[in-house]
Amino acid sequence: MGAGAVRRQLGLARSSARARSGTRAARQRFGYLIVIDFEATCWRDAGRRAPEVVEFPAVLLNTSTGEIESEFHTYVQPQEHPILSEFCTELTGITQNQVDEGVPLSICLSQFLKWIKKIQMEKKIVFGADILSNSTSEAKACTFVTWTDWDLGVCLHYECKRKQLRKPDILNSWIDLKATYRVFYNRKPKGLNGALQDLGIAFTGREHSGLDDSRNTARLAWRLICDGCVLKVTKSLDEVIPKTAGYLLSKISFCLWTP
Ligand code: AMP
Ligand code: MG
Ligand code: MG
């Protein structure tokens, strides 16, 4: 399939005329986006050590105005490897003191859900399946945005599994802005900073600070919206069994259980 066809299939064909006419925001499926960018324990040579979240930021972007309307931010105590490597502190700017004064991931997740509940009430935000049942009300659809699938698909996903923590269901699907960017502009970005630079936007703040990375990712998402990109979910971890597969599975289990 050609690049144009892929772009059309993903609904990413550029429509700059419409964007310029000011109707772009109304065309967005999501009235709000929550951008997340974790920082995690790391080493120059990680070996078999798995990353643990040490900074958990989230910023709420209004896709009609481009404004960040609310922020969540907390440092998280790593428990498998409680002492940060020098490499990690140099890369992220996060100090041992900051994580020591942070909270364990379980507490962080409940604080995050409290923030989610608060913004849901204040802004009439709905997620996932609730979007369909609220389609006629003034509810605003919302989903998550990350730069690559790493944050939600690897880092948090496996850390919750290792620690037997329940990961909030709303974090099971998201928009990978890097993949979206690549298809929409038809070029491979060199990191988040490179993606911004290519569009003439300077990175604000400190690279590899979770909060600054999140804010800059939100600015990039807003730029894509302004350029006419309709942002869509690119990844879902929720299992969807097609009707035919479900039918076959029921037949197979019937055969297995029939004496
Ligand atoms: P980022 O969002 O790009 O700041 O990266 C998220 C996390 O990925 C960091 O907190 C590190 O745990 C890991 N990471 C990023 N870049 C590197 C690197 N060059 N070497 C090792 N780990 C890295
Ligand atoms: Mg990142
Ligand atoms: Mg980061």
Side-chain angles (χ1 to χ4, degrees), residues 37-43 87 91-92 150 208 213:
D37 182 273
F38 299 135
E39 298 307 321
T41 51
C42 53
W43 298 265
F87 175 81
L91 181 79
T92 63
W150 178 82
H208 303 297
D213 283 352

Side-chain angles (χ1 to χ4, degrees), residues 210-247:
L211 188 56
D212 287 342
D213 283 352
S214 303
R215 289 171 177 162
N216 282 282
T217 306
R219 291 168 73 215
L220 183 60
W222 175 240
R223 172 60 185 265
L224 271 118
I225 291 170
C226 291
D227 283 348
C229 179
V230 179
L231 296 174
K232 292 179 184 168
V233 167
T234 58
K235 186 83 180 179
S236 177
L237 300 177
D238 292 322
E239 277 177 52
V240 179
I241 302 178
K243 267 187 188 161
T244 45
Y247 173 75

Side-chain angles (χ1 to χ4, degrees), residues 2-14 176-189 224 229 234:
V6 172
R7 286 153 57 96
R8 276 191 298 281
Q9 198 175 27
L10 290 173
L12 292 174
R14 252 182 277 185
D176 171 3
L177 203 66
K178 184 180 181 186
T180 305
Y181 179 105
R182 208 173 44 224
V183 176
F184 184 69
Y185 295 115
N186 198 19
R187 63 172 175 254
K188 205 174 163 188
L224 271 118
C229 179
T234 58

